[in-house]
Amino acid sequence: MSAVIFDITFSNGIGSAEVLIVKGGKPVDDFKFSQTGHHVSDLPPGFYIVTLTGNSQGAEFLISEPSTPSTPDNFNAGVIAKGYVLNIKNP
Amino acid sequence: MKKLFCLLYPVPLILILQVSGVAQTGVRTKTDSVNEIRSAAHRASGNSKDVLASFFQLAFNDLTTNREFNLNSNLFAIKLKTNPSLSIDTNFVRQTFARNSNIMISVKLDTNFNFTGAKAGYKYAIVNNRDYAVSKLYNARVLQEAGGHLKALRQINTEISARFPDSTAIPLVLEINSFFNDTTVTFGTLSPTAQQLVKSYFLSDNMKFDNSWNARRDLNQIVNRIMDEYHKKLLWTVAASFVTNSSARFTDVNMSTEATAGMLEINPRNFIEFTIKADLTFSGDSLTGQQNLKRQVLTSQFGFNWVNRGADKKPFMEFEAAGGFDYIPNVMYPGEQRTKLMFTGTFRIRISNQFWIPVDIKYDPGAGKVFGFLSVRSNFDLLNRLFGRL
């Protein structure tokens, strides 16, 4: 298992976001941010798709593991809607 | 000092506070934060920026006769310059007082550009329903209206994960990302697999599956529409200032209040907002030279401001028509009327994102006189860009 840190920073106002992590078509983790902060998910090795959705006046999203597309990822003011592919390898 | 201003006019660009960029590793830069504030401010009317500056406003008022060089600074914008971390949401929400505060400094010049006096003041927005950046209601509404698109994206990515449980998912995820984030990637340019996925999870609507359809444009329209509603909400400020003469002697005290709100949307490009202003000035008697503040002048005004916007929804041209009266309860000068009616017309045109030219026309029906005042107003960062600081 790998501890993957998901970090979000909202700026210029309040924001909120939801993160859905799926593997093989099945939800693995689903959590929300109502302000700047981070969340740790324990993920076994494999391929995951992380979907980030929300709204903000500006935001930066960071995943502690390499992803495609890469992070940190910056968002302008508006709706956030993006997916990331994670490959968690054996430690 | 007295003659310095003839060197600055008509280049009113030099004596300006600059907002410098400070990058922090792993964090959105100060420049990004400033850009976001600037971008939001561009959609506000010129009238509302006169009521409360959201950033910095530099104005040359009454260029033809009694010139006044005026700088309005938003207190939060000043604090952000020295402490970029204030843009982070948990700090930002605690800066309501600063965001609603303007500090005003004016310098007055005569027709020969000699210094005749200065003015300093403070303005506070006691009601600022336009502050959507910290409104949970605004945030919730955007998420509700965009909910269908966001749910569709989660479902699309879940199905991609089911069909392509390895690195083969990457091209499709990136393609769907482009459709949701790049306004130039239309439905018609998607691969057949991506099109099938999008069709599966959006509402069956023939209009939506037009080849020119793009999800990011939908999302931007939702945000812009709701943001526009907030730009028309009530803004009410109170202010106090004091004035000195050319010898730096204290002469006048002024208290004022202003309110504006949108009241009628004619069509997506035109709306009307009302404006109410009241102003009470205490000054000395200029005939006797006494600085006892016993002379009082009350000025009030009520009007309507018509705002015309371009296709990008940024205000382009405005015309404000207002009527009001002046009332002098005591210490009247010879020949002066205790009560005077006045009609004012202000025409504003936006030259660029930050640069406005307002022209004021005042009509005194009692005396049958018309007065004209030409001003120049920059809600800047235009000046920062010209000097390459951002």
Side-chain angles (χ1 to χ4, degrees):
Chain A
M1 297 278 268
S2 293
V4 182
I5 305 171
F6 298 86
D7 187 285
I8 197 160
T9 303
F10 296 110
S11 54
N12 304 315
I14 64 174
S16 62
E18 181 175 348
V19 177
L20 173 66
I21 307 172
V22 296
K23 181 174 186 281
K26 290 184 171 28
V28 170
D29 201 356
D30 187 352
F31 51 91
K32 293 182 181 179
F33 292 105
S34 58
Q35 63 179 41
T36 290
H38 68 272
H39 175 92
V40 181
S41 294
D42 289 316
L43 302 176
F47 278 89
Y48 298 83
I49 295 181
V50 176
T51 305
L52 176 70
T53 54
N55 180 59
S56 75
Q57 301 305 313
E60 181 180 272
F61 181 61
L62 174 67
I63 306 174
S64 61
E65 294 290 321
S67 63
T68 306
S70 63
T71 64
D73 203 354
N74 283 303
F75 295 91
N76 294 327
V79 176
I80 300 169
K82 205 157 182 181
Y84 305 83
V85 178
L86 273 184
N87 180 15
I88 306 296
K89 296 182 179 169
N90 286 314
Chain B
M1 172 71 169
K2 288 183 179 178
K3 293 295 184 185
L4 177 64
F5 291 97
C6 68
L7 298 176
L8 295 175
Y9 180 79
V11 184
L13 307 178
I14 302 176
L15 294 179
I16 305 303
L17 293 175
Q18 299 286 351
V19 180
S20 57
V22 176
Q24 297 181 17
T25 305
V27 176
R28 283 165 56 86
T29 67
K30 170 75 180 309
T31 303
D32 295 328
S33 298
V34 168
N35 283 340
E36 298 295 350
I37 299 172
R38 182 191 301 136
S39 176
H42 291 167
R43 299 176 70 91
S45 68
N47 167 62
S48 66
K49 288 179 189 176
D50 290 347
V51 177
L52 185 74
S54 56
F55 213 38
F56 298 112
Q57 184 192 69
L58 173 65
F60 275 115
N61 294 324
D62 190 10
L63 298 177
T64 51
T65 52
N66 298 312
R67 298 172 178 87
E68 186 176 300
F69 169 86
N70 185 65
L71 176 64
N72 261 342
S73 305
N74 183 274
L75 184 57
F76 176 71
I78 296 173
K79 294 176 76 174
L80 190 64
K81 181 184 175 192
T82 56
N83 186 1
S85 70
L86 290 179
S87 68
I88 294 174
D89 61 335
T90 46
N91 296 327
F92 189 95
V93 294
R94 290 197 279 263
Q95 297 297 316
T96 302
F97 177 81
R99 287 200 318 281
N100 285 332
S101 292
N102 277 182
I103 296 172
M104 306 171 291
I105 301 171
S106 293
V107 172
K108 296 186 181 184
L109 314 170
D110 65 16
T111 51
N112 295 319
F113 294 98
N114 294 313
F115 174 71
T116 59
K119 180 176 169 184
Y122 170 78
K123 180 185 284 189
Y124 184 73
I126 54 179
V127 176
N128 187 0
N129 292 339
R130 301 182 177 200
D131 201 2
Y132 60 85
V134 293
S135 169
K136 290 183 180 176
L137 199 61
Y138 167 84
N139 191 61
R141 199 164 146 211
V142 170
L143 288 174
Q144 184 193 18
E145 296 204 20
H149 285 60
L150 300 184
K151 182 181 175 185
L153 177 63
R154 288 193 290 270
Q155 290 172 323
I156 289 169
N157 281 344
T158 300
E159 177 149 345
I160 293 174
S161 167
R163 289 201 214 169
F164 307 95
D166 52 29
S167 62
T168 55
I170 291 176
L172 203 46
V173 167
L174 294 180
E175 189 178 12
I176 295 296
N177 276 351
S178 296
F179 182 64
F180 274 84
N181 290 282
D182 184 347
T183 55
T184 64
V185 176
T186 57
F187 181 78
T189 64
L190 295 177
S191 65
T193 307
Q195 286 188 353
Q196 180 265 316
L197 282 166
V198 168
K199 276 186 183 178
S200 298
Y201 294 106
F202 275 91
L203 291 172
S204 296
D205 182 338
N206 289 336
M207 292 295 291
K208 276 203 177 290
F209 299 135
D210 184 273
N211 282 338
S212 62
W213 172 44
N214 170 266
R216 176 49 57 175
R217 279 205 294 265
D218 289 352
L219 296 171
N220 287 348
Q221 282 171 7
I222 291 169
V223 170
N224 289 338
R225 175 170 41 80
I226 299 172
M227 196 188 304
D228 274 347
E229 290 179 20
Y230 274 75
H231 275 302
K232 299 188 191 99
K233 288 184 181 286
L234 178 64
L235 175 62
W236 181 15
T237 64
V238 292
S241 61
F242 67 90
V243 179
T244 66
N245 60 17
S246 58
S247 304
R249 288 185 65 186
F250 178 72
T251 57
D252 298 355
V253 173
N254 174 272
M255 294 184 292
S256 62
T257 184
E258 278 184 273
T260 184
M263 52 179 288
L264 175 66
E265 176 150 328
I266 302 169
N267 57 49
R269 290 206 189 179
N270 293 279
F271 70 91
I272 295 176
E273 48 189 16
F274 75 82
T275 63
I276 300 176
K277 300 174 190 176
D279 197 287
L280 178 61
T281 302
F282 299 85
S283 59
D285 186 340
S286 62
L287 293 181
T288 63
Q290 290 184 335
Q291 304 297 327
N292 51 18
L293 300 181
K294 286 190 175 175
R295 175 176 160 84
Q296 294 150 31
V297 178
L298 173 66
T299 303
S300 63
Q301 182 177 293
F302 177 79
F304 299 97
N305 185 49
W306 162 68
V307 182
N308 172 257
R309 300 188 284 195
D312 57 2
K313 290 298 187 72
K314 292 177 185 172
F316 169 68
M317 191 164 59
E318 299 179 18
F319 180 72
E320 180 180 353
F325 71 89
D326 294 352
Y327 176 67
I328 305 173
N330 52 32
V331 189
M332 290 172 53
Y333 297 141
E336 200 171 35
Q337 293 174 306
R338 187 173 296 279
T339 306
K340 185 165 68 172
L341 275 178
M342 193 74 80
F343 295 101
T344 307
T346 302
F347 176 72
R348 298 183 186 87
I349 188 161
R350 185 196 288 260
I351 304 301
S352 69
N353 271 340
Q354 297 93 358
F355 208 52
W356 285 84
I357 293 182
V359 178
D360 289 285
I361 306 290
K362 290 186 192 261
Y363 172 59
D364 178 352
K369 289 183 179 177
V370 176
F371 308 87
F373 305 92
L374 173 66
S375 304
V376 169
R377 211 153 285 166
S378 170
N379 296 291
F380 60 94
D381 309 304
L382 166 72
L383 308 167
N384 293 321
R385 286 175 178 164
L386 286 175
F387 283 89
R389 293 298 182 95
L390 285 178

PDB file of all heavy atoms in Angstrom, chain B residues 23 29 58 180 203:
ATOM      1  N   ALA B  23       7.183  35.015  -6.391  1.00  0.00           N
ATOM      2  CA  ALA B  23       6.838  33.616  -6.618  1.00  0.00           C
ATOM      3  C   ALA B  23       7.160  32.792  -5.391  1.00  0.00           C
ATOM      4  O   ALA B  23       8.169  32.998  -4.734  1.00  0.00           O
ATOM      5  CB  ALA B  23       7.613  33.076  -7.818  1.00  0.00           C
ATOM      6  N   THR B  29       1.522  31.708  -7.984  1.00  0.00           N
ATOM      7  CA  THR B  29       2.318  32.910  -7.752  1.00  0.00           C
ATOM      8  C   THR B  29       1.411  34.075  -7.475  1.00  0.00           C
ATOM      9  O   THR B  29       0.198  34.045  -7.698  1.00  0.00           O
ATOM     10  CB  THR B  29       3.188  33.239  -8.979  1.00  0.00           C
ATOM     11  OG1 THR B  29       2.318  33.604 -10.052  1.00  0.00           O
ATOM     12  CG2 THR B  29       4.047  32.045  -9.373  1.00  0.00           C
ATOM     13  N   LEU B  58      -6.619  55.210 -10.397  1.00  0.00           N
ATOM     14  CA  LEU B  58      -5.946  56.492 -10.525  1.00  0.00           C
ATOM     15  C   LEU B  58      -6.806  57.361 -11.404  1.00  0.00           C
ATOM     16  O   LEU B  58      -7.260  56.933 -12.466  1.00  0.00           O
ATOM     17  CB  LEU B  58      -4.571  56.282 -11.184  1.00  0.00           C
ATOM     18  CG  LEU B  58      -3.790  57.529 -11.545  1.00  0.00           C
ATOM     19  CD1 LEU B  58      -3.410  58.282 -10.295  1.00  0.00           C
ATOM     20  CD2 LEU B  58      -2.544  57.158 -12.349  1.00  0.00           C
ATOM     21  N   PHE B 180     -13.385  19.230 -21.617  1.00  0.00           N
ATOM     22  CA  PHE B 180     -13.917  19.927 -20.441  1.00  0.00           C
ATOM     23  C   PHE B 180     -13.121  21.173 -20.055  1.00  0.00           C
ATOM     24  O   PHE B 180     -13.532  21.914 -19.168  1.00  0.00           O
ATOM     25  CB  PHE B 180     -13.952  18.972 -19.235  1.00  0.00           C
ATOM     26  CG  PHE B 180     -15.195  18.136 -19.164  1.00  0.00           C
ATOM     27  CD1 PHE B 180     -15.302  16.957 -19.889  1.00  0.00           C
ATOM     28  CD2 PHE B 180     -16.272  18.531 -18.388  1.00  0.00           C
ATOM     29  CE1 PHE B 180     -16.459  16.192 -19.835  1.00  0.00           C
ATOM     30  CE2 PHE B 180     -17.434  17.765 -18.328  1.00  0.00           C
ATOM     31  CZ  PHE B 180     -17.526  16.589 -19.053  1.00  0.00           C
ATOM     32  N   LEU B 203     -27.341  14.472 -20.839  1.00  0.00           N
ATOM     33  CA  LEU B 203     -28.756  14.331 -21.155  1.00  0.00           C
ATOM     34  C   LEU B 203     -28.933  14.207 -22.652  1.00  0.00           C
ATOM     35  O   LEU B 203     -28.237  14.859 -23.414  1.00  0.00           O
ATOM     36  CB  LEU B 203     -29.528  15.554 -20.662  1.00  0.00           C
ATOM     37  CG  LEU B 203     -29.642  15.699 -19.157  1.00  0.00           C
ATOM     38  CD1 LEU B 203     -30.248  17.036 -18.820  1.00  0.00           C
ATOM     39  CD2 LEU B 203     -30.458  14.579 -18.573  1.00  0.00           C
TER      40      LEU B 203
END
